Amino acid sequence: MPGYLNKEILVLGCGNILFGDDGFGYHIINRLNELKEQYPILNSEKIQLIDAGTGASHFILSLIDGETPLRKIVIADIIDYGLEPGTLKKLYVEDIPNLPKYHVDAHDMPLAGMLREINDDYGVEIVVIGCQQKRVTAPDILLELSDEVTNSIDDAVKMIIEELN
């Protein structure tokens, strides 16, 4: 079992830094790492911060089973709920779309079904800190977040830290 699965709480930043606002999760994990001295909870042995990129479903979540001591997963990712760009929304497992299969494509909420199963089968609490995207540029490469999404990072970090306490 990978060491990160021996933690009680995982914080996953999801998305692809190459496609504009899809890099939100990457920037959140970087900001949390920068704040470890200010917020000692971020250094807890019980918590693992992971830049999961686009591999959360294949390399992290698919390995969770009844032996895993996880009790909570906090995910930072972009959402498309038709809100104002940069708007943050906290989602729980019951708020996640109930898709019939989870690997539709790279940007159609591929984690939804897997997150529901992890919650239902293993009792792991799921919290998604979603940020309304402004622009996801795939397949064109853009290494910058929109101003709206950039301005939401500190508030998203506060929401995550609240979930860890």
Side-chain angles (χ1 to χ4, degrees):
M1 176 185 314
Y4 56 81
L5 291 180
N6 284 318
K7 306 293 183 178
E8 291 183 15
I9 302 174
L10 292 182
V11 179
L12 305 177
C14 296
N16 191 328
I17 191 171
L18 297 177
F19 302 131
D21 289 341
D22 202 28
F24 174 74
Y26 166 83
H27 289 280
I28 291 293
I29 296 299
N30 281 351
R31 187 75 178 125
L32 288 167
N33 279 316
E34 291 170 358
L35 294 171
K36 281 186 170 181
E37 287 190 31
Q38 185 176 348
Y39 295 98
I41 188 74
L42 296 172
N43 287 312
S44 170
E45 291 293 320
K46 298 178 180 178
I47 297 171
Q48 182 75 53
L49 307 176
I50 300 175
D51 169 21
T54 58
S57 61
H58 299 293
F59 302 112
I60 298 170
L61 301 175
S62 65
L63 300 177
I64 295 171
D65 60 21
E67 304 294 318
T68 307
L70 276 174
R71 58 178 180 82
K72 187 172 195 174
I73 299 173
V74 181
I75 295 177
D77 202 356
I78 56 167
I79 56 174
D80 190 6
Y81 277 61
L83 305 169
E84 289 294 317
T87 301
L88 296 171
K89 189 171 180 71
K90 186 182 293 187
L91 303 167
Y92 298 96
V93 74
E94 60 271 11
D95 303 318
I96 297 171
N98 192 12
L99 301 175
K101 64 179 191 175
Y102 19 89
H103 297 290
V104 179
D105 72 33
H107 295 281
D108 282 345
M109 201 64 172
L111 302 178
M114 186 173 283
L115 293 174
R116 284 179 177 275
E117 286 180 12
I118 290 169
N119 178 262
D120 293 346
D121 295 349
Y122 308 116
V124 177
E125 181 183 0
I126 305 292
V127 179
V128 177
I129 306 299
C131 180
Q132 176 64 46
Q133 66 185 32
K134 181 176 184 180
R135 61 177 183 240
V136 174
T137 60
D140 298 323
I141 294 175
L142 177 65
L143 298 176
E144 300 171 356
L145 300 176
S146 65
D147 289 343
E148 294 87 344
V149 170
T150 298
N151 292 336
S152 72
I153 288 176
D154 286 342
D155 287 338
V157 164
K158 289 177 187 170
M159 293 169 77
I160 292 168
I161 291 171
E162 287 173 8
E163 287 296 323
L164 301 178
N165 289 314

